[in-house]
Amino acid sequence: MSVKDPQSPHPKSGSYEGTQSHVEGGDYLAKRTLKKGTAGWVLLAGLGVSYVISGDYSGWNLGLAEGGFGGLLIAAIIIAGMYLAMVLGMAEMSSALPAAGGGYTFARRALGPWGGFATGTAILIEYAIAPAAIATFIGAYVESLGLFGITDGWWVYLVVYAVFIGIHLSGAGEALKIMFVITAIALLGLIVFAIAALGQFDASNLTDITPADAAGASGFLPFGYLGIWAAVPFAIWFFLAIEGVPLAAEEAKDPTKNVPRGIIAAMGVLLVTGAVVLFLVTGAGGADAVKESGNPLVEALGDGTASKIVNYIGLAGLVASFFSIMYAYSRQLFALSRAGYLPKTLSITNSRKAPTLALIVPGVIGFLLSLTGQGGMLLNMAVFGAALSYVLMMVSHIVLRRNEPNMERPYRTPGGVVTTGFALIIAALAVVATFVVDSTAALWCLAVFVAFMAYFGIYSRHHLVANSPDEEFAALAEAEAELE
C-alpha cells in the first residue's frame, strides 16, 4: 500500500490501544518521501549479502573463545536454521506489507502500536550498534596493513562514518549500486582466501584449544556444553542484519515479488560463505590462534601475497556491511519518525530523497560507541537488539496467520507457523545467551530499550501520524475486520 495522494481522503484521526493519532497535511509526507523503483531482486540480494558479509571477515571467530570449534559449529548450525526459518517468514510478511519500516511494519499490523514500536526499537539498537562494532574491525584490518603508520583506530572510525554518511546522503540509487560493487569485491576476497587456505588446512587445528574444567569438556567442546550457548551470539554474526532487506521495500521495483526473492537469495549465499570461513579459517590458522583475532582470515594465512590480498579485500567486506547497515538504520529510523513514534524531524528527506538526520544521528551515536574499541562487547549488544526483534517478528507472523488468514500474501512461508515457531524459540534462547556472554552490556541495552518504551508511553503514543504508510496498513486491517 502506498502513501496516499495529498488530495485523497485520509483515515480519520482516532485512538488504538491507548494511542492517539492525527492526520498530517500533504506537505508533511511530501517532505518525507523516498525514491521509488530503485532496486530489483538482484540488487536486493546484494543488499542482503552486503549487510552481513563483514561477519565472515571478523567477529564470528570470537565465538571460538567461548565454545571452541565444536561449540561454535553446533551454535552456527542451530542459528543457520533459525535464520533460514526467519527469512522465510519475513519473505511472506514483506510480500504482504511492503513498507520502509520492515519488521516494525509487520509487528505494527500484528501486535498494535506498542508491539510495533518495541520491534522497531530493538531493530534500531541492533543497527545503531552493529556499525560501531564493524568500525573497530575495520580499524584492526587497517592497523594490520600498517597503512599510514596507524596504531590507534579512532580517527579511522571517524573517517568511515563521515565518508559513508556523505555517500548515503547523495541518494539511495547511488548508494545501493556502490554497495553492490563493494559486496562483489568482498565475495571475490573470500574466494581468494578459500583457495589459499585449502593448501594449509589441517583438521587437527580445529580442536587445538586445551579443554577447560567444565561439564562435557573435550577437544571438540573445550568449554563444555555451556560453551555452545555462549557461542550463539557470535554464530549470529554470520547472518546478523539480513532481516534489513525489507527496509528497502519502498525503494524497490515490484516489492511484493522482489523483496522475498532478494532476501531468500541472500540467505543462500550467506549459508555457503559462513560454512567456508568457519572451517577454513579455523583449519588453516588454528582455533587457539584466531579465537581473539581482529582479522582472522589474514592471520590464518600468515605472511604472503594471498594474505595481503585478503587483508585489502577484507576491508571491502567490512566496509560493505558498515555501509549497508547505515542504510538500514536510516530507513528504520525514518519509518518510526514519519509515523510519529520518534521525533518527526528525523524523517525529513533532502533533495535526493535521503533522510538526512536519520543518517546522521545514529552515526554520531555509533561513532562514540566505537571509541570504546571493544568490538566483542559491541557485537554482543547488537545481537541483543537483533534477537529481541526476531522474537517479536516471528510472533507477528504467527499472529497474522491466525488473525488475518485471508490477507493477500503473494509469497507464503513453507511450513507456515511451524517454521516461524522454530525461529521464535531459538531467537528467545539467543536473547538469554547475550546475558551469558556479557551481562553488563546486555543490561545496558535492556535499559535503553526500556527508556525508548517509556518515551512512547509518556509522549509519542499520543502524537502518531494516521496517514503514514504503516498506520494506514493498520487502519486498513481494522476496517476489514469491522466489515467481516
Side-chain angles (χ1 to χ4, degrees), residues 39 41 85 101 114 156 192 241 270 383:
W41 77 267
W114 283 92
V156 176
V192 172
L270 294 168
V383 169

Side-chain angles (χ1 to χ4, degrees), residues 17-71:
E17 293 184 357
T19 65
Q20 287 82 44
S21 61
H22 63 280
V23 174
E24 293 281 1
D27 61 333
Y28 177 85
L29 292 178
K31 294 177 181 178
R32 295 164 173 82
T33 304
L34 300 172
K35 189 175 181 180
K36 308 295 183 183
T38 302
W41 77 267
V42 174
L43 203 56
L44 291 172
L47 175 62
V49 175
S50 180
Y51 281 141
V52 186
I53 194 71
S54 70
D56 289 328
Y57 279 93
S58 196
W60 64 269
N61 57 297
L62 302 178
L64 295 170
E66 300 290 341
F69 174 75

Side-chain angles (χ1 to χ4, degrees), residues 12-15 19-23 461-466 471:
K12 294 181 180 180
S13 302
S15 61
T19 65
Q20 287 82 44
S21 61
H22 63 280
V23 174
R461 70 187 178 95
H462 303 295
H463 299 85
L464 303 182
V465 179
E471 295 304 301

Side-chain angles (χ1 to χ4, degrees), residues 350-387:
N350 63 16
S351 60
R352 304 301 297 272
K353 302 302 182 184
T356 304
L357 289 178
L359 281 162
I360 294 173
V361 172
V364 172
I365 295 171
F367 168 68
L368 294 175
L369 288 172
S370 72
L371 295 178
T372 65
Q374 301 296 313
M377 178 193 72
L378 295 169
L379 182 156
N380 191 60
M381 295 171 75
V383 169
F384 171 86

Side-chain angles (χ1 to χ4, degrees), residues 189-458:
L190 292 179
I191 294 172
V192 172
F193 165 78
I195 293 172
L198 277 172
Q200 299 178 210
F201 184 86
D202 183 344
S204 65
N205 286 337
L206 298 173
T207 55
D208 65 356
I209 295 177
T210 303
D213 183 16
S218 64
F220 184 67
L221 292 173
F223 303 106
Y225 302 126
L226 187 60
I228 299 172
W229 200 1
V232 163
F234 303 95
I236 286 176
W237 202 244
F238 280 123
F239 308 103
L240 183 136
I242 189 175
E243 72 278 2
V245 173
L247 293 170
E250 290 185 31
E251 294 159 285
K253 300 173 185 175
D254 194 4
T256 58
K257 293 182 180 178
N258 285 327
V259 173
R261 289 175 183 170
I263 194 171
I264 292 172
M267 186 65 197
V269 172
L270 294 168
L271 286 169
V272 174
T273 60
V276 167
V277 296
L278 174 59
F279 278 91
L280 293 185
V281 171
T282 313
D288 193 54
V290 302
K291 70 179 187 294
E292 296 179 352
S293 173
N295 52 352
L297 277 69
V298 175
E299 290 199 15
L301 293 180
D303 297 326
T305 303
S307 177
K308 283 288 185 184
I309 292 173
V310 171
N311 203 345
Y312 278 104
I313 297 181
L315 280 174
L318 294 168
V319 165
S321 292
F322 182 87
F323 191 32
S324 57
I325 294 175
M326 278 186 168
Y327 173 89
Y329 76 54
S330 68
R331 269 46 181 186
Q332 185 66 84
L333 184 53
F334 166 83
L336 289 169
S337 167
R338 181 176 61 180
Y341 289 84
L342 291 174
K344 297 170 186 175
T345 55
L346 296 172
S347 55
I348 295 175
T349 51
N350 63 16
S351 60
R352 304 301 297 272
K353 302 302 182 184
T356 304
L357 289 178
L359 281 162
I360 294 173
V361 172
V364 172
I365 295 171
F367 168 68
L368 294 175
L369 288 172
S370 72
L371 295 178
T372 65
Q374 301 296 313
M377 178 193 72
L378 295 169
L379 182 156
N380 191 60
M381 295 171 75
V383 169
F384 171 86
L388 180 57
S389 74
Y390 301 161
V391 169
L392 293 167
M393 285 189 284
M394 294 305 93
V395 170
S396 298
H397 179 270
I398 294 168
V399 169
L400 286 172
R401 274 291 187 98
R402 184 191 66 188
N403 293 350
E404 299 190 52
N406 298 321
M407 175 190 286
E408 184 179 352
R409 294 171 168 87
Y411 174 87
R412 295 182 70 86
T413 303
V417 298
V418 173
T419 298
T420 48
F422 166 76
L424 169 61
I425 293 169
I426 303 302
L429 293 174
V431 173
V432 178
T434 63
F435 287 88
V436 174
V437 173
D438 188 338
S439 59
T440 301
L443 284 170
W444 273 111
C445 288
L446 180 60
V448 170
F449 177 80
V450 170
F452 268 82
M453 297 307 295
Y455 169 80
F456 178 69
I458 295 169

Side-chain angles (χ1 to χ4, degrees), residues 114-153:
W114 283 92
F117 184 67
T119 305
T121 297
I123 294 170
L124 271 183
I125 290 172
E126 171 193 356
Y127 289 161
I129 297 176
I134 296 169
T136 67
F137 301 139
I138 291 174
Y141 267 71
V142 169
E143 289 178 37
S144 69
L145 285 168
L147 295 177
F148 312 113
I150 294 171
T151 57
D152 188 346

